[in-house]
């Protein structure tokens, strides 16, 4: 690595995350001014710089095209789940059957497991509660759980298998 690249990595270890933090700051304060933009940029540089030692190694995305398909499926599922959850809650006779189930993981990449757990929690009606590293399972709560085997099969085919393809 050239000294110039090392210097940039030292001062800006995660440039996209720094940009994200700066934009997030501007959205949170809901006021665009030069002072807020400079503060957002300062936070965007300082936070990754201070926390860099705690970050795990960077994820290695092997196949980016399946990642785009995964994001598309996730967006559609989030929209559909929002509608389903809203209808279930707004019905006069709530016939909800909340429940917990254990999801057996086939993933072994920490970042992919984190993405799967986050995906489950992003989809309305389900929340990933606990990762058991020894048993390699996730504990999941569903707002309406009719068939545990079907829920497991849906998560495996819609989310886990594409993540395996992306990160293997």
């Amino acid at each position: 690595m050239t000294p110039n690249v090392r210097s940039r990595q030292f001062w800006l270890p995660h440039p996209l995350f720094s940009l994200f933090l700066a934009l997030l700051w501007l959205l949170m304060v809901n006021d665009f001014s030069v002072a807020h933009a400079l503060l957002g940029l300062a936070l965007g540089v300082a936070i990754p710089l201070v926390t860099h030692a705690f970050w795990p190694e960077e994820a290695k995305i092997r196949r980016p095209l399946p990642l785009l398909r995964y994001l598309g499926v996730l967006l559609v599922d989030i929209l559909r789940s929002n509608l389903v959850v809203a209808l279930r809650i707004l019905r006069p006779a709530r016939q909800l059957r909340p429940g917990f189930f254990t999801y057996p993981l086939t993933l072994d990449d920490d970042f992919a497991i984190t993405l799967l757990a986050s995906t489950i929690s992003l989809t309305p009606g389900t929340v990933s509660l606990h990762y058991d590293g020894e048993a390699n399972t996730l504990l999941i709560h569903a707002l309406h759980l009719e068939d545990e085997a079907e829920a497991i099969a849906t998560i495996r085919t819609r989310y886990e298998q594409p993540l395996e393809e992306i990160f293997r």
Side-chain angles (χ1 to χ4, degrees), residues 19 87 119 133 139 144 153:
L19 181 62
L87 289 173
T119 297
L139 177 63
H144 186 72

Side-chain angles (χ1 to χ4, degrees), residues 76-86 122-126 159:
V76 167
D77 285 355
I78 288 172
L79 291 172
R80 187 179 67 219
S81 295
N82 271 306
L83 294 172
V84 168
V85 167
L122 279 172
T123 308
T126 55
Y159 306 127

Side-chain angles (χ1 to χ4, degrees), residues 8-9 12-19 44 48-49 51-52 55-56 58:
R8 183 194 61 82
Q9 284 182 335
L12 207 56
H14 302 283
L16 290 177
F17 185 62
S18 295
L19 181 62
L49 189 62
T51 62
H52 181 67
W55 286 50
E58 291 189 27

Side-chain angles (χ1 to χ4, degrees), residues 25-73:
W25 175 259
L26 289 174
L27 289 171
M28 285 178 29
V29 296
N30 200 21
D31 178 36
F32 183 78
S33 67
V34 174
H36 281 299
L38 290 174
L39 182 57
L41 288 172
L43 289 170
V45 170
I47 291 172
L49 189 62
V50 171
T51 62
H52 181 67
F54 303 106
W55 286 50
E57 64 182 63
E58 291 189 27
K60 308 274 189 290
I61 297 175
R62 307 282 185 225
R63 302 181 70 203
L65 188 58
L67 178 62
L68 294 175
R69 279 196 314 261
Y70 180 81
L71 291 174
V73 166

Side-chain angles (χ1 to χ4, degrees), residues 103-106 151-162 164:
Y103 180 81
L105 292 164
T106 57
I152 290 171
T154 300
I155 291 170
R156 183 153 339 275
T157 57
R158 293 193 68 79
Y159 306 127
E160 189 175 23
Q161 287 174 348
E164 284 177 348

